[in-house]
Amino acid sequence: MAVFPSEIGPFAVLEPLGRGGLAQVWSVRDTSGDIYALKRLRSNRRGRKRFLREYEVLANLDCVGVPKAHAFFENSEMNPFFIMECMDGRPAYRALRDAGAPGSKKRMDLVEIVLAHMARILGELHAQSIVHRDVKSQNVLVDADGKTALVDFGAVLVHAPSRPSRARVGTCAYSAPEMLMGKSVDHRVDIYSLGVLLYRLVTGVNPFRGQTRVDTVSRHLVLPAPRPTEFLGSVPPRLCELILAMVEKAPENRPQSCSELGFA
């Protein structure tokens, strides 16, 4: 059983919510009894710039479905951390898997709700030149009614597009080809990643996941996604075509903004 601290600064730790390469997240309670999510940098030497950028973005954003950061804490005795709104829901794939088998009405209805919520959230971010760069099941929380939240802005890009970079950010299984190749990226990498996620939510299959990271990268770069109907015959045609367009290799061949993601 993992051991976690009972207190961090003035906050009582309730339970772990997540752990990444650079930071850990817990649900915590303050002295007034209010519940927050607390994110703490695992090392005071690694990832500090990205951590501060994440806090600044979340503190300044006012977007339904994105956690609002409230306060940053730092002193010589502990690694820096910040507190933010604690969002409801479970990782998207788990939430939709429990809603029903691929193709079931309840699951497909939830897919449409998640798509609508994510198009709105990402559209608001992109309008402010903010790119999440790590849209994946773990970072998209969905409750029983389909209410959706986007969390973990540790890879966030501000003032997109970016310069070419060899820095590895995001998650390989969901990353757009231009990101994997270290090219300049813009908001269309989020559209690609959301397309991969939707494909998985609809069919239960990630279209590009390979046996190794190298295999997965190769699939993103070279292999077209199979039609979702190869795994599930009952996909609405317009949704099928939308997902395939979102995971096109070339950014210019994808929907160019989240306003194009409606299909009803």
Side-chain angles (χ1 to χ4, degrees):
M1 181 178 294
V3 177
F4 56 88
S6 60
E7 293 181 346
I8 300 177
F11 300 96
V13 176
L14 303 178
E15 63 177 338
L17 296 177
R19 177 187 180 117
L22 297 177
Q24 295 172 280
V25 185
W26 294 271
S27 63
V28 298
R29 183 175 54 240
D30 69 7
T31 54
S32 300
D34 294 324
I35 306 298
Y36 297 96
L38 182 152
K39 187 166 189 175
R40 184 172 72 175
L41 196 62
R42 294 176 61 187
S43 167
N44 212 3
R45 296 181 299 275
R46 255 186 96 228
R48 180 181 175 81
K49 185 176 180 180
R50 279 173 55 181
F51 192 72
L52 285 169
R53 181 170 61 237
E54 178 181 12
Y55 168 73
E56 290 168 356
V57 166
L58 294 179
N60 288 298
L61 269 175
D62 188 13
C63 175
V64 175
V66 172
K68 184 76 171 178
H70 297 294
F72 191 91
F73 297 81
E74 183 175 26
N75 61 46
S76 59
E77 298 178 357
M78 65 177 70
N79 291 342
F81 66 89
F82 62 85
I83 60 166
M84 57 187 161
E85 182 182 1
C86 196
M87 309 302 283
D88 294 328
R90 295 180 297 155
Y93 183 73
R94 191 187 313 166
L96 271 78
R97 180 193 62 195
D98 293 348
S104 67
K105 184 178 187 307
K106 185 174 182 181
R107 181 158 169 166
M108 294 304 293
D109 286 347
L110 272 178
V111 168
E112 293 186 24
I113 294 171
V114 170
L115 170 57
H117 282 246
M118 286 299 297
R120 176 190 57 77
I121 292 170
L122 290 175
E124 290 189 32
L125 297 182
H126 297 165
Q128 300 176 65
S129 298
I130 296 171
V131 182
H132 187 275
R133 292 199 299 182
D134 200 14
V135 175
K136 61 181 179 180
S137 175
Q138 184 179 344
N139 292 340
V140 176
L141 304 182
V142 180
D143 72 10
D145 298 319
K147 183 179 178 181
T148 303
L150 179 62
V151 300
D152 193 351
F153 280 62
V156 69
L157 171 67
V158 185
H159 306 308
S162 72
R163 296 177 180 177
S165 172
R166 293 184 179 274
R168 184 182 295 180
V169 296
T171 301
C172 179
Y174 293 86
S175 291
E178 63 270 28
M179 204 155 130
L180 293 169
M181 292 188 289
K183 293 184 176 181
S184 174
V185 304
D186 60 23
H187 64 282
R188 292 171 294 184
V189 299
D190 284 346
I191 290 174
Y192 181 96
S193 297
L194 179 58
V196 177
L197 175 60
L198 289 172
Y199 193 113
R200 188 179 178 208
L201 296 182
V202 168
T203 67
V205 176
N206 184 313
F208 303 115
R209 185 180 291 279
Q211 296 298 314
T212 64
R213 186 181 190 281
V214 171
D215 187 19
T216 298
V217 169
S218 176
R219 289 168 183 262
H220 279 294
L221 299 183
V222 178
L223 295 181
R227 296 188 67 82
T229 49
E230 291 188 21
F231 301 99
L232 188 68
S234 59
V235 182
R238 292 194 69 185
L239 177 59
C240 181
E241 296 306 321
L242 174 64
I243 291 172
L244 291 173
M246 293 170 74
V247 297
E248 282 282 353
K249 308 300 183 191
E252 60 270 22
N253 292 336
R254 298 172 204 151
Q256 297 299 289
S257 76
C258 289
S259 65
E260 299 178 33
L261 301 186
F263 68 95

